Amino acid sequence: MAENTTGLGIAPLTATGEGVTPLMHRRTIAGRWANVGIVNGLTLSTTDSMAYRISDGVAVVSSSDLDGMVEMPINAQEIKVSAGDSTYSRIDVIYAYQSNTATDNTVHVECLEGTPAATPQRPTVPANGVMIGVFTLPAKATSTKAAKFAYYGVKACLRGASLGMLGRNWEKRDGDYGGGIREWYYELPVSFTVGCEHLVMAQFEMTANAWNGSYNTQLVSFQLDGQEVEASASERRFGTDWEDWSPFKIFKVSKGYHTVRIRIGCTNKEKDDTGISYHYNNGSDPFTYKGYCLTVWDLGAV
């Protein structure tokens, strides 16, 4: 027979004390979140001493799948670290975890100091922790002002929610390119990290025309981590007038770091010395156009 459970917000029984346990609460929280990570806040900065500073915020962490998740409020504070090595740089990782022992039930924010080396490696965050951000500290540093910020940890995502715009690469200028038939250009890379499998939409936007009073057919497709996204190719024939083009593709990405880019080129060449010009603003009027742009949108955790 299954063990009885009690929903959140329901008082324990007066006679027996039976009700919501901490484990039940953590399991309920885990039902809302698709992955651990940063919820909001937790901006990192450097100081004039050997300490990093973190702002107020919230993160989600988990010790294991069976243990559920904990939503951690984190207070603004400074995290002390040791001075730079005399010869080599190192990688520092700021992370947080929730202690759950008989003598300690507090949220901790600490720094994992990597081993100084000619090619330093990022230290690994413990399984019960969540990465907030990464710095590279140079040799001989006497304050964290010398450290170079690298990147933040992943964002926590509610199940079914969207992280919004994951990235955009936008050429806000007029430009052109040509070349032979099916001479491909690999352009507009957009990189991002997700904490679990997500559904994303890549959208290419362009305002363009063909050179020299001719016509030219363009082909564009989307690539994920250097590989063609299946069935993502789209063609458009451009003439001498400025025309808009906005092909898109929806596809899945796995947990981790990814780069989406376009592959684009001419598929026909009706005259010598022809190609495509893209248009943002020619300076003669107050209007701006699409230019040459790739945007990646998150459609939610899968």
Side-chain angles (χ1 to χ4, degrees):
M1 183 175 180
E3 179 184 356
N4 290 333
T5 59
T6 303
L8 302 185
I10 305 302
L13 294 175
T14 303
T16 63
E18 292 178 347
V20 177
T21 66
L23 176 58
M24 288 181 185
H25 201 157
R26 294 195 299 272
R27 286 169 53 194
T28 303
I29 292 172
R32 299 194 299 156
W33 294 98
N35 64 281
V36 300
I38 299 168
V39 177
N40 64 1
L42 306 182
T43 302
L44 295 172
S45 56
T46 58
T47 68
D48 292 323
S49 64
M50 289 309 304
Y52 297 106
R53 183 177 293 121
I54 187 171
S55 69
D56 291 331
V58 176
V60 176
V61 73
S62 175
S63 296
S64 69
D65 290 342
L66 294 177
D67 195 58
M69 294 182 179
V70 175
E71 295 170 336
M72 302 185 300
I74 297 174
N75 293 325
Q77 57 191 280
E78 292 188 357
I79 305 100
K80 294 182 179 180
V81 295
S82 59
D85 182 70
S86 60
T87 305
Y88 296 116
S89 61
R90 72 168 191 253
I91 296 178
D92 288 344
V93 176
I94 312 300
Y95 79 105
Y97 67 95
Q98 170 68 63
S99 185
N100 186 19
T101 69
T103 58
D104 184 4
N105 68 346
T106 57
V107 174
H108 294 263
V109 182
E110 298 180 0
C111 178
L112 291 168
E113 298 180 14
T115 302
T119 306
Q121 302 299 308
R122 191 189 80 188
T124 301
V125 174
N128 68 334
V130 60
M131 186 173 75
I132 306 301
V134 179
F135 287 90
T136 299
L137 187 78
K140 302 179 181 179
T142 57
S143 81
T144 58
K145 286 288 186 185
K148 181 180 179 181
F149 177 76
Y151 49 86
Y152 283 101
V154 298
K155 288 277 191 178
C157 186
L158 288 167
R159 296 186 187 278
S162 168
L163 294 173
M165 187 173 70
L166 295 172
R168 171 175 284 165
N169 193 334
W170 191 357
E171 292 281 353
K172 293 184 177 182
R173 62 184 177 87
D174 292 350
D176 50 51
Y177 60 90
I181 298 174
R182 296 183 179 273
E183 181 176 319
W184 304 118
Y185 298 83
Y186 299 88
E187 299 184 318
L188 302 177
V190 174
S191 297
F192 56 91
T193 303
V194 289
C196 62
E197 189 177 48
H198 276 247
L199 197 64
V200 303
M201 181 179 77
Q203 182 174 27
F204 173 63
E205 297 178 271
M206 184 181 190
T207 300
N209 71 359
W211 296 353
N212 296 339
S214 181
Y215 290 91
N216 219 315
T217 301
Q218 292 297 109
L219 184 145
V220 67
S221 64
F222 298 97
Q223 295 198 326
L224 173 65
D225 301 327
Q227 301 298 314
E228 201 78 3
V229 175
E230 186 178 14
S232 68
S234 178
E235 287 196 49
R236 173 68 183 267
R237 189 172 189 249
F238 286 94
T240 55
D241 294 331
W242 293 113
E243 299 178 68
D244 290 338
W245 190 26
S246 300
F248 67 91
K249 182 66 177 178
I250 296 172
F251 51 95
K252 287 183 182 180
V253 298
S254 60
K255 173 183 177 180
Y257 179 82
H258 300 285
T259 298
V260 174
R261 67 183 182 183
I262 63 165
R263 178 169 71 106
I264 191 168
C266 298
T267 53
N268 79 309
K269 195 174 184 182
E270 298 186 5
K271 292 176 62 177
D272 291 337
D273 190 29
T274 62
I276 290 291
S277 296
Y278 55 93
H279 185 44
Y280 179 67
N281 189 330
N282 62 16
S284 63
D285 58 46
F287 300 108
T288 55
Y289 297 83
K290 290 182 172 61
Y292 198 58
C293 179
L294 175 64
T295 308
V296 181
W297 302 94
D298 176 47
L299 302 183
V302 177

